[in-house]
C-alpha cells in the first residue's frame, strides 16, 4: 500500500487559513488519525488528500504519484486517485439491497480497459461481505438493518473497489457508546486484514488513542504533533496537546523555579508549596531557552518572507499561545492568562497526569477531598490544597468522603516541565514536594 506525503499544504478562504503550511509523511499500511477540536482543519486535510478539496498551495503525493502540485498545475481528480471514502452519514441507497449497495460502485470500474463481469462483481461482493461479517444480510434493505450493520455495509462498499487508501470522516459518531467500542475492534481487524493505509478523522481522543499507529494533532490549521499515541500522551509537544489528550485532563500548575548546576530545579508552586523537579535527562534550562528564542526568530523571519511573496495573504485567524486552565476553588479570581504579561525565564508550567498523583502515604503535602466520583474500577477525585484544585485518579474500589484529609505525593518520572513563554515541552522528570524549608 502507498505512502502519502504532504509538502507545505495550505488551504485558505480569503484570509482565513483552514490548513496552514502542513507537511506530513504517512507511511504505507499505517492507521493515522487526524485529531483536533471542531473547526481545526482535520477534515479539510482529509478532503484535500482525497481530491474533494483543492489546496491553495503545496504538493500531495500518493504512492509516489503526484496527485496535486500547485507549482506545476497538477490536480488528479478523486476517481483516479484509487482511494475510498467512508462518511459520517452512511449514504446507503434505501431502495437497494445490501448486495446492490456494495456492488453499485463496482459496475462503473474498468480493469484492463473493460468493465467487470457479473461473476467478478459477485466474487468481490462475497469477499468483502465475509470480511465485515454481513454475508447473511445480502437480501435486506438498509431500513431493516441496525446502525452497526449499516456501518458495516458502508465499509464493505468502500472496500469493494480495493482502494489503496481508505479515508474515514468520523464514521462512528452516529453509533451508541457500546456499538462504537465494538466497531473500533472491527476497524483494527480490517486494517490488519486489508493491509490498506487508513486515514481517520475524529475529535474523540479515545478513538485516536485506541485505533491509530500515529496521531496527527491539529489546531487552528497548524500541525501540533505527529507521533505514536503513547508518545503523544506521555510526551506532548506543548500545553495544548497535553490538555487535549487525556481524560481526565492534565493538571497544570504554574511555578517559579531556579535551576542548579546538578540539573535539579527548585520550584515554588501552589501558593506556599515548595518542590524539587529532577529531569530524567540532564537539561541546561538557559541553553534551552536561548535555542527557543533563536528558533522563534528564524520562524518569524520565515513567516515574514512567506507573506511578502506575490499573492500571499496574511492570516486573519492568528495563532495564539494556548490558554491552559489552572484549577482554583474560586474560579472568579483574575484570569491566569493575564499574569503571562510579566512572564520571566524563571516561570514554568508543570503538567501532571491525574494518575501520577497518589494518596494514602504518610508523606506528602496535606490535601482535602473536594469532590469524589467513583466509577467502580476507579475514582476521580478533586483535591484541594490552599486555593488550588488538583484532579487525581485512584484505582480500586476505595470510597472517599468529601472533606476527608489526606496526604498527596507525585509519583513516577512522567511529570512534565513546560516553558511558560512558548508553551513547549522542555523535559519530563520526577517531582518531589518539600515538607519544610531546608
Amino acid at each position: 500500500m502507498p505512502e502519502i506525503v504532504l509538502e507545505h499544504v495550505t488551504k485558505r478562504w480569503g484570509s482565513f487559513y483552514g490548513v496552514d503550511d502542513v507537511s506530513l509523511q504517512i507511511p504505507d499500511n499505517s492507521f493515522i488519525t487526524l485529531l483536533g477540536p471542531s473547526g481545526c482543519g482535520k477534515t479539510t486535510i482529509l478532503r484535500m488528500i482525497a481530491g474533494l478539496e483543492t489546496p491553495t498551495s503545496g504538493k500531495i503525493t500518493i504512492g509516489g504519484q503526484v496527485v496535486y502540485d500547485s507549482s506545476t498545475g497538477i490536480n488528479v481528480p478523486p476517481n483516479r486517485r484509487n482511494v475510498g471514502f467512508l462518511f459520517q452519514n452512511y449514504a446507503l441507497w434505501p431502495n437497494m439491497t445490501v448486495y446492490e449497495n456494495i456492488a453499485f460502485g463496482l459496475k462503473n470500474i474498468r480493469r484492463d480497459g473493460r468493465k467487470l463481469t457479473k461473476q467478478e462483481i459477485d466474487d468481490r461482493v462475497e469477499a468483502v461481505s465475509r470480511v465485515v461479517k454481513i454475508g447473511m444480510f445480502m437480501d435486506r434493505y438498509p431500513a431493516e438493518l441496525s446502525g452497526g450493520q449499516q456501518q458495516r455495509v458502508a465499509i464493505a462498499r468502500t472496500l469493494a473497489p480495493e482502494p489503496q487508501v481508505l479515508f474515514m470522516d468520523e464514521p462512528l459518531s452516529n453509533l451508541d457508546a457500546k456499538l462504537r467500542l465494538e466497531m473500533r475492534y472491527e476497524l483494527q481487524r480490517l486494517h490488519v486484514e486489508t493491509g490498506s493505509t487508513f486515514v481517520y478523522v475524529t475529535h474523540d481522543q479515545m478513538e485516536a488513542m485506541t485505533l491509530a499507529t500515529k496521531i496527527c494533532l491539529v489546531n487552528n490549521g497548524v500541525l501540533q504533533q505527529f507521533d505514536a499515541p503513547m508518545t503523544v500522551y506521555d510526551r506532548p509537544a506543548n500545553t495544548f496537546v497535553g490538555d487535549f489528550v487525556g481524560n481526565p485532563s492534565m493538571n497544570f500548575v504554574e511555578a517559579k523555579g531556579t535551576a542548579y548546576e546538578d540539573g535539579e530545579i527548585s520550584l515554588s508552586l501552589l501558593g506556599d508549596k515548595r518542590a524539587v523537579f529532577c529531569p530524567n535527562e540532564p537539561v541546561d534550562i538557559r541553553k534551552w531557552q536561548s535555542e527557543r528564542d533563536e528558533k522563534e526568530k528564524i520562524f518569524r523571519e520565515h513567516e515574514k518572507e512567506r507573506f511578502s511573496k506575490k499573492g500571499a495573504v496574511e492570516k486573519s485567524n492568528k495563532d495564539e499561545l494556548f490558554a491552559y486552565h489552572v484549577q482554583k476553588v474560586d474560579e472568579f479570581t483574575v484570569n491566569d492568562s493575564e499574569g503571562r504579561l510579566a512572564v520571566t525565564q524563571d516561570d514554568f508550567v508543570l503538567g501532571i497526569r491525574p494518575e501520577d498523583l497518589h494518596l494514602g502515604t504518610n508523606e506528602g503535602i496535606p490535601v482535602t477531598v473536594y469532590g469524589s466520583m467513583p466509577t467502580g474500577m476507579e475514582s476521580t477525585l478533586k483535591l484541594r490544597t490552599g486555593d488550588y484544585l488538583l484532579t487525581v485518579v485512584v484505582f480500586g474500589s476505595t470510597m472517599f468522603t468529601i472533606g476527608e484529609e489526606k496526604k498527596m505525593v507525585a509519583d513516577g518520572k512522567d511529570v512534565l516541565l513546560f516553558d511558560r513563554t512558548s508553551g513547549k515541552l522542555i523535559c519530563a522528570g520526577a517531582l518531589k514536594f518539600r515538607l519544610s524549608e531546608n
Side-chain angles (χ1 to χ4, degrees):
M1 291 297 116
E3 176 186 63
I4 303 172
V5 180
L6 280 71
E7 300 176 50
H8 304 289
V9 173
T10 295
K11 176 63 179 180
R12 65 176 175 82
W13 293 270
S15 62
F16 181 86
Y17 282 68
V19 176
D20 187 10
D21 198 29
V22 167
S23 295
L24 273 179
Q25 186 171 354
I26 301 175
D28 63 345
N29 196 30
S30 57
F31 197 132
I32 302 301
T33 55
L34 295 168
L35 177 66
S38 297
C40 71
K42 52 189 185 293
T43 295
T44 303
I45 293 174
L46 189 78
R47 289 173 59 83
M48 287 192 293
I49 301 173
L52 302 178
E53 194 82 57
T54 302
T56 304
S57 61
K59 182 179 178 181
I60 301 173
T61 306
I62 300 178
Q65 178 192 3
V66 177
V67 295
Y68 179 83
D69 190 342
S70 59
S71 62
T72 59
I74 295 174
N75 189 8
V76 178
N79 63 328
R80 291 177 53 198
R81 297 192 185 191
N82 193 18
V83 299
F85 216 117
L86 190 61
F87 298 93
Q88 179 178 344
N89 184 340
Y90 312 137
L92 300 177
W93 298 103
N95 60 324
M96 293 184 183
T97 63
V98 168
Y99 173 90
E100 291 169 336
N101 268 283
I102 298 173
F104 182 78
L106 296 174
K107 295 176 182 178
N108 298 315
I109 288 179
R110 289 184 174 272
R111 297 273 167 84
D112 300 323
R114 63 174 180 82
K115 287 189 175 183
L116 299 181
T117 65
K118 186 178 187 307
Q119 185 60 49
E120 288 173 324
I121 292 175
D122 287 344
D123 292 344
R124 187 61 194 148
V125 171
E126 182 182 351
V128 294
S129 64
R130 193 183 305 119
V131 170
V132 297
K133 301 177 182 177
I134 55 169
M136 68 291 293
F137 304 131
M138 288 292 107
D139 295 327
R140 293 192 187 182
Y141 289 90
E144 300 173 325
L145 303 176
S146 67
Q149 290 164 350
Q150 290 183 34
Q151 182 63 282
R152 289 169 191 247
V153 175
I155 292 173
R157 183 182 58 189
T158 305
L159 292 175
E162 298 180 276
Q164 56 183 347
V165 183
L166 182 60
F167 298 114
M168 292 174 280
D169 189 2
E170 305 202 40
L172 307 184
S173 58
N174 288 343
L175 305 179
D176 61 61
K178 185 177 180 180
L179 194 53
R180 197 156 53 236
L181 179 61
E182 292 177 3
M183 286 305 300
R184 284 180 202 154
Y185 286 113
E186 290 295 322
L187 289 175
Q188 280 184 326
R189 184 179 59 81
L190 278 172
H191 176 242
V192 173
E193 290 184 3
T194 61
S196 298
T197 300
F198 282 21
V199 183
Y200 187 104
V201 164
T202 182
H203 64 271
D204 185 339
Q205 55 165 300
M206 186 63 69
E207 286 185 5
M209 290 292 294
T210 54
L211 289 173
T213 54
K214 271 191 170 184
I215 293 176
C216 172
L217 192 52
V218 182
N219 187 38
N220 196 36
V222 178
L223 178 63
Q224 303 292 318
Q225 189 167 359
F226 185 49
D227 268 314
M230 291 312 299
T231 302
V232 172
Y233 186 83
D234 291 332
R235 298 294 182 267
N238 52 49
T239 51
F240 168 79
V241 178
D243 179 74
F244 194 85
V245 177
N247 186 24
S249 296
M250 176 181 286
N251 294 293
F252 289 108
V253 179
E254 293 179 343
K256 277 192 172 291
T258 302
Y260 296 108
E261 292 183 1
D262 61 1
E264 292 187 348
I265 304 173
S266 177
L267 299 171
S268 60
L269 67 166
L270 297 172
D272 58 352
K273 305 298 186 295
R274 298 291 182 271
V276 174
F277 180 82
C278 306
N280 294 338
E281 304 291 339
V283 57
D284 185 331
I285 295 295
R286 296 301 178 231
K287 181 180 178 182
W288 187 95
Q289 291 171 335
S290 176
E291 291 174 348
R292 171 205 65 196
D293 294 339
E294 184 62 28
K295 289 177 182 177
E296 179 66 17
K297 181 181 177 182
I298 293 172
F299 173 76
R300 294 298 175 195
E301 290 174 352
H302 172 265
E303 289 294 279
K304 185 178 179 181
E305 180 183 352
R306 181 162 75 110
F307 290 121
S308 65
K309 292 180 180 178
K310 184 179 180 180
V313 177
E314 189 148 353
K315 189 175 182 179
S316 61
N317 49 319
K318 301 290 186 182
D319 300 318
E320 298 178 350
L321 185 64
F322 175 67
Y324 56 82
H325 178 59
V326 177
Q327 299 182 80
K328 291 185 177 180
V329 176
D330 183 5
E331 293 287 359
F332 296 100
T333 54
V334 177
N335 192 311
D336 298 312
S337 61
E338 293 182 14
R340 296 178 195 175
L341 297 175
V343 169
T344 70
Q345 291 195 339
D346 294 328
D347 287 303
F348 303 96
V349 180
L350 292 175
I352 310 173
R353 294 288 183 193
E355 64 270 23
D356 291 330
L357 294 172
H358 293 267
L359 300 177
T361 62
N362 294 324
E363 297 181 347
I365 60 174
V367 293
T368 304
V369 177
Y370 193 77
S372 174
M373 292 187 180
T375 58
M377 64 178 290
E378 64 185 35
S379 294
T380 302
L381 307 179
K382 289 286 186 182
L383 302 179
R384 177 175 181 172
T385 173
D387 295 330
Y388 295 88
L389 295 175
L390 296 169
T391 303
V392 178
V393 171
V394 178
F395 297 98
S397 54
T398 306
M399 296 298 294
F400 297 89
T401 305
I402 293 178
E404 189 176 355
E405 301 290 334
K406 291 287 185 180
K407 293 289 184 69
M408 181 191 73
V409 296
D411 197 16
K413 296 184 176 181
D414 288 323
V415 175
L416 305 172
L417 184 71
F418 292 101
D419 174 47
R420 195 170 166 188
T421 300
S422 65
K424 294 180 180 178
L425 176 67
I426 298 175
C427 63
L431 183 69
K432 300 176 183 178
F433 291 105
R434 285 180 175 174
L435 304 184
S436 60
E437 282 296 318
N438 294 329

